[in-house]
Amino acid sequence: MSTIRFAALQETLNRKALKVEENEKRSVLFGKNVFNKHAMQQYLTRSAYESVMNAIEKGTKIDRKIADQVAVSMKDWSISRGATHYTHWFQPLTGATAEKHDAFFESINGSLAMEKFDGEQLVQQEPDASSFPNGGIRNTFEARGYTAWDPTSPAFIYETTLCIPTIFVAYTGEALDNKTPLLRALQAVDTHATAVCKYFDKNASKVNATLGWEQEYFLIDDALALSRPDILLTGRTLLGHLSAKGQQLDDHYFGSIPARAMSFMQDLEQECMLLGIPLKTRHNEVAPNQFEVAPIFEEANLAVDHNSLLMDVMEKVSRRHKFKVLFHEKPFAGINGSGKHNNWSLSNADETNLLSPGKTPMKNLQFLTFFVNTIKAVHEYEELLRASIASASNDYRLGVNEAPPPIISVFIGSQLSGVLDDLENVTKGKLSPEEKTDLKLNIIGKIPEILLDNTDRNRTSAFAFTGNKFEFRAVGAQSNCATPMTILNTIIAKQLKDFKIEVDALIENKNLKKDEAIFNILREYIKASKKIRFEGDGYGDAWEKEAKKRSLSNHKNTPEALKVKVSKKAVSLFEEMEVMSKVELEARYEIDLEEYTKRLQIESRVLADIAKNHVVPTAIIYQNTLLENTKNLKEIFGDDHKVIAKEQIELIMTISNHITEINALTIKMTNERRKANKFNGLKSAEVYCNKVKPFFEQIRYHCDKLETMVDDNLWPLTKYRELLFTR
Ligand code: ADP
Ligand code: MG
């Protein structure tokens, strides 16, 4: 084994699980570092508290005087918990989170000092915005953007900093972050879903979208990860021969969690409890060293913030435990990649889940209304949903092994398929009393209160109904949930708006009763959206063919998928729902393309470096050993060496061939890259996708072959079996 690998492995094997003290019950720790309702009640005056609660629940403005009060209380509370700094915490379009810490400390006249934090500092800040991506919204010389407090997501203390969740917008009003459009989408879905809820409950006042994400990740020892330039720079392995044992024995999933990983998880859970992230489950995933963590679901804005925060915390905690956490969607070839299932639903003010069947026919009609409208929305905007999860890294996962294909379809299970089939046959127009009774008793009455039938689950569907929520499974592990959640909630809002208009029209113009009108429209929707429903195996070629027949989209790569985000249909949707303007959409499109291009550019460079600087030189050293050996054999055995050293001679030739191929392919790839770099925007992304990227697999093939030939003692790159099975 090479000295580099040996040292890394030695280090890894010597590591013991870090002991994590659990000094308090989880329930006691929960939310201790969050300026939540409980803390606010303690620290705020009654009027300030009410003002903040109104802002959270009704979206009202908080005036400056109250903001000053809140700021002072927040400061006192956070200093009492050890904070020394504060920051506006936001999510720029890089997909990560950003923060700039300022101390509470301020000096007065150069000698006196005091802790200061007022309403102005709470409400608005002006970070130097020029270095965040803005897609041309701001010229750099006019780099003015500001962050503004989002009271719907509570402030929290991380380490010694008070973090205030904020939106990030340009002075001209355009959103420069992921949160602003999300909040607007949640507002839209609230408005239109509440209007629909009023059919069933006159007092309906509010609808929240809920999100429960499931975060998959890999944990790799950091000494091993450090020995791999590809993991370090791209988050995934660009080469590496498959390990003889991978996941074929299925012995990792739900197995006992290795000790070091377990202690990492305990530590992580404690940190998350303090931050109010309600983590609930942890388990091994299918691939070796792959795990999953999931919280109890929350209101979508909070859940999105919590997922971003979780990823930050995981990075920090993993360092303590000498792990590198990999969020990449496909860090290893040949075994499962990582996703982030987004479980989504809608709930009303009293927290009734609108996608959960109820006890009464009326409740079930409400359930069916939201259920069918969701299917219809996905049917109308499947391409946009596909675009919402497009990224360079997710391209490596979608449609491979365990992940849903890039074709969006909806799975609902046999029970509900039956119900929809029955509803399709409801008479058009007015219903006879008999028919109404039949509907109530036999169709909507037949929907069982609990639909959580595990045998009925289809793991291959991109968008599946799982009893009381939809699960969007195609979301990538490292993506920010804000984008898919913005798009999903926007299309639902639009669909519900149209539904209301259509139902009202039937009531007014055709003189139908409310439930007759609803049945009529639902029937039409069920018919119209049939092609999006698919109950079969989503992984096989058969589905691809079938999907094509149904004229469903199948955008296999990001540049192709992203175009839809700026299509006429998308622009008019987002403008109508007041979620994003054309300028904002185009800016995001530009940023997404640029990010795609840069990621592939980096991968291409790293791969070329590793091939040229690690693989080829190592192969040459080994080849020289073989040559030396052959020469020596010739010296002793004369012409007989041709027989005796036959294997060596063949190996020398094979190695030469692979080296030649690697060199030639690397040069070709570099040339294509140069061409791609002359373009920008879509064109550049397309050239990277279609001309540069295909070389990755080809170069890798030859490198991986060499890995199987070259003396293990010489091979410098930590191997798959070591990365995946060392604990
Ligand atoms: P699985 O079999 O997919 O692991 P579970 O039923 O245990 O499924 O739930 C998975 C996730 O769904 C959890 O993260 C949970 O928080 C989330 N979830 C449950 N109910 C809802 C809901 N009403 N809205 C959003 N997410 C939900
Ligand atoms: Mg799941």
Side-chain angles (χ1 to χ4, degrees):
M1 188 179 296
S2 75
T3 44
I4 307 172
R5 269 166 63 215
F6 184 72
L9 271 173
Q10 244 356 83
E11 209 174 319
T12 307
L13 292 169
N14 284 338
R15 278 173 184 163
K16 299 260 179 323
L18 210 72
K19 206 164 162 13
V20 181
E21 293 289 339
E22 289 216 44
N23 33 26
E24 277 182 290
K25 263 205 277 196
R26 296 281 158 90
S27 53
V28 179
L29 293 180
F30 188 73
K32 257 194 159 167
N33 286 347
V34 183
F35 197 59
N36 52 19
K37 271 190 196 173
H38 180 69
M40 282 197 280
Q41 272 166 339
Q42 274 188 314
Y43 280 82
L44 293 181
T45 60
R46 200 192 170 96
S47 65
Y49 176 76
E50 274 167 10
S51 179
V52 175
M53 291 319 284
N54 273 336
I56 296 173
E57 281 156 18
K58 305 201 184 94
T60 51
K61 276 213 151 65
I62 294 173
D63 74 39
R64 255 314 292 279
K65 269 206 193 112
I66 299 278
D68 276 333
Q69 278 189 39
V70 176
V72 171
S73 314
M74 241 185 220
K75 182 195 73 185
D76 292 346
W77 166 80
S78 57
I79 289 175
S80 80
R81 299 209 47 81
T84 54
H85 288 65
Y86 66 90
T87 182
H88 274 198
W89 184 80
F90 60 104
Q91 301 172 38
L93 295 170
T94 52
T97 58
E99 48 200 76
K100 171 182 153 253
H101 299 191
D102 284 307
F104 286 124
F105 173 89
E106 262 177 37
S107 71
I108 302 163
N109 302 333
S111 53
L112 286 169
M114 65 181 284
E115 260 80 34
K116 189 170 165 284
F117 182 60
D118 62 20
E120 199 179 314
Q121 288 153 314
L122 165 66
V123 172
Q124 192 168 314
Q125 294 269 293
E126 202 173 329
D128 174 17
S130 56
S131 41
F132 294 108
N134 61 71
I137 285 179
R138 283 176 289 104
N139 295 325
T140 24
F141 56 82
E142 210 256 312
R144 303 212 341 137
Y146 64 92
T147 54
W149 180 32
D150 164 23
T152 61
S153 181
F156 56 89
I157 300 166
Y158 191 57
E159 289 169 343
T160 52
T161 303
L162 169 68
C163 302
I164 300 149
T166 54
I167 56 167
F168 181 33
V169 284
Y171 266 95
T172 42
E174 283 91 5
L176 295 171
D177 65 350
N178 283 310
K179 190 196 259 273
T180 310
L182 174 68
L183 289 173
R184 294 180 191 149
L186 295 172
Q187 175 63 53
V189 90
D190 176 11
T191 305
H192 298 291
T194 304
V196 170
C197 275
K198 285 191 199 284
Y199 286 138
F200 309 98
D201 171 8
K202 277 199 294 279
N203 301 321
S205 60
K206 168 115 192 139
V207 170
N208 278 319
T210 53
L211 164 66
W213 39 262
E214 301 166 61
Q215 178 72 56
E216 292 180 333
Y217 62 98
F218 279 84
L219 274 184
I220 304 299
D221 185 273
D222 67 2
L224 300 183
L226 275 171
S227 71
R228 296 274 317 208
D230 47 358
I231 295 184
L232 211 60
L233 300 179
T234 71
R236 74 176 185 112
T237 56
L238 297 172
L239 45 80
H241 196 270
L242 304 193
S243 162
K245 179 180 187 284
Q247 63 189 40
Q248 59 274 68
L249 297 178
D250 284 332
D251 51 357
H252 189 65
Y253 193 50
F254 279 28
S256 72
I257 299 173
R260 274 183 65 206
M262 185 61 154
S263 105
F264 158 80
M265 288 179 199
Q266 284 169 341
D267 203 350
L268 173 68
E269 281 164 13
Q270 285 206 50
E271 295 264 354
C272 287
M273 283 303 121
L274 288 169
L275 291 166
I277 307 174
L279 291 190
K280 175 97 176 145
T281 44
R282 56 173 184 223
H283 60 78
N284 289 354
E285 260 303 326
V286 176
N289 280 347
Q290 190 189 25
F291 306 93
E292 179 185 295
V293 60
I296 298 169
F297 69 91
E298 298 174 285
E299 183 280 314
N301 177 38
L302 190 56
V304 168
D305 277 359
H306 278 167
N307 182 252
S308 293
L309 183 56
L310 170 99
M311 290 166 79
D312 286 350
V313 176
M314 281 174 85
E315 301 250 5
K316 285 186 178 141
V317 175
S318 68
R319 256 175 258 148
R320 278 208 288 274
H321 292 259
K322 308 279 188 221
F323 279 126
K324 175 143 183 70
V325 52
L326 304 183
F327 291 117
H328 195 287
E329 284 82 357
K330 196 75 185 172
F332 302 98
I335 57 172
N336 280 12
S338 302
K340 175 149 55 198
H341 296 176
N342 275 205
N343 295 275
W344 169 89
S345 190
L346 294 172
S347 74
N348 64 17
D350 63 16
E351 295 188 1
T352 305
N353 183 348
L354 299 174
L355 285 172
S356 185
K359 286 196 176 75
T360 62
M362 206 52 175
K363 277 267 175 304
N364 275 350
L365 185 55
Q366 175 172 292
F367 158 71
L368 277 175
T369 296
F370 284 97
F371 180 66
V372 172
N373 271 290
T374 304
I375 298 172
K376 179 79 176 355
V378 176
H379 174 267
E380 298 304 310
Y381 292 102
E382 47 100 358
E383 283 191 279
L384 205 48
L385 268 189
R386 161 65 181 105
S388 79
I389 46 120
S391 73
S393 48
N394 211 13
D395 278 0
Y396 293 114
R397 162 180 170 265
L398 293 177
V400 187
N401 264 3
E402 83 302 348
I407 306 168
I408 303 291
S409 64
V410 182
F411 167 87
I412 60 172
S414 54
Q415 275 177 319
L416 285 166
S417 294
V419 173
L420 296 197
D421 291 345
D422 288 346
L423 276 175
E424 232 185 280
N425 298 318
V426 174
T427 318
K428 217 171 172 163
K430 279 208 172 300
L431 302 173
S432 66
E434 295 76 39
E435 235 180 327
K436 276 196 180 172
T437 315
D438 181 54
L439 265 178
K440 274 191 185 141
L441 289 180
N442 296 325
I443 302 184
I444 59 174
K446 254 189 357 200
I447 303 172
E449 212 179 306
I450 297 187
L451 283 164
L452 303 161
D453 179 359
N454 269 314
T455 57
D456 219 15
R457 291 207 182 181
N458 182 333
R459 294 273 163 204
T460 66
S461 177
F463 199 84
F465 187 71
T466 52
N468 57 1
K469 60 192 179 286
F470 279 95
E471 184 168 357
F472 190 14
R473 299 219 183 89
V475 184
Q478 71 181 336
S479 64
N480 185 317
C481 303
T483 306
M485 279 298 115
T486 300
I487 290 181
L488 179 60
N489 287 295
T490 304
I491 66 174
I492 301 289
K494 161 77 174 149
Q495 180 54 54
L496 291 169
K497 179 183 173 192
D498 291 351
F499 173 75
K500 174 100 177 27
I501 293 171
E502 291 184 75
V503 170
D504 286 351
L506 283 190
I507 295 172
E508 265 173 49
N509 307 334
K510 301 266 156 131
N511 207 13
L512 295 191
K513 289 251 156 49
K514 184 179 66 191
D515 44 353
E516 282 171 340
I518 292 175
F519 275 123
N520 268 279
I521 300 297
L522 291 184
R523 184 196 55 229
E524 294 312 309
Y525 283 1
I526 293 167
K527 282 190 192 155
S529 55
K530 261 190 160 164
K531 77 167 199 274
I532 200 75
R533 277 162 53 196
F534 178 63
E535 303 285 305
D537 178 5
Y539 287 1
D541 294 342
W543 169 228
E544 242 187 289
K545 285 201 192 108
E546 167 68 20
K548 196 169 174 191
K549 259 201 248 153
R550 297 187 185 189
S551 68
L552 292 174
S553 74
N554 184 3
H555 297 305
K556 290 199 191 261
N557 58 58
T558 295
E560 219 181 274
L562 284 179
K563 283 184 207 164
V564 179
K565 277 195 183 176
V566 285
S567 65
K568 257 199 170 136
K569 188 175 167 185
V571 172
S572 87
L573 164 79
F574 286 111
E575 292 198 329
E576 183 185 343
M577 292 295 105
E578 295 178 4
V579 172
M580 274 184 275
S581 66
K582 189 158 187 247
V583 173
E584 288 171 319
L585 283 162
E586 282 173 350
R588 275 162 184 73
Y589 179 57
E590 195 182 301
I591 292 166
D592 287 349
L593 284 173
E594 200 177 310
E595 153 130 23
Y596 176 84
T597 302
K598 280 186 185 152
R599 294 226 177 253
L600 288 197
Q601 186 182 55
I602 294 169
E603 288 192 344
S604 163
R605 285 182 182 153
V606 173
L607 179 59
D609 282 353
I610 299 179
K612 281 193 301 204
N613 304 332
H614 297 239
V615 175
V616 169
T618 309
I620 290 174
I621 294 172
Y622 182 55
Q623 199 185 34
N624 274 333
T625 316
L626 294 171
L627 283 166
E628 196 62 31
N629 171 267
T630 315
K631 248 199 295 183
N632 293 344
L633 289 172
K634 187 177 177 189
E635 225 165 76
I636 298 171
F637 297 105
D639 259 2
D640 282 353
H641 91 279
K642 281 187 187 149
V643 179
I644 298 168
K646 188 166 170 277
E647 300 282 329
Q648 288 91 317
I649 293 167
E650 272 170 20
L651 202 47
I652 290 166
M653 311 268 280
T654 315
I655 290 175
S656 278
N657 283 339
H658 287 304
I659 292 175
T660 311
E661 284 294 331
I662 291 173
N663 284 335
L665 289 166
T666 313
I667 291 169
K668 280 190 200 156
M669 175 173 76
T670 312
N671 286 337
E672 290 297 342
R673 206 167 67 216
R674 289 215 180 96
K675 282 188 216 158
N677 292 343
K678 292 211 179 88
F679 303 109
N680 45 36
L682 179 63
K683 183 77 188 150
S684 179
E686 281 175 342
V687 179
Y688 265 101
C689 178
N690 301 316
K691 300 284 185 192
V692 178
K693 193 176 154 190
F695 284 105
F696 296 0
E697 277 301 307
Q698 297 176 36
I699 295 172
R700 173 183 193 140
Y701 170 82
H702 294 285
C703 294
D704 290 356
K705 280 283 173 213
L706 285 173
E707 185 185 322
T708 65
M709 290 168 200
V710 169
D711 182 357
D712 184 62
N713 269 320
L714 296 173
W715 198 257
L717 297 161
T718 301
K719 295 186 172 181
Y720 263 36
R721 61 164 188 269
E722 295 153 352
L723 289 168
L724 290 169
F725 291 95
T726 318
R727 323 213 135 123

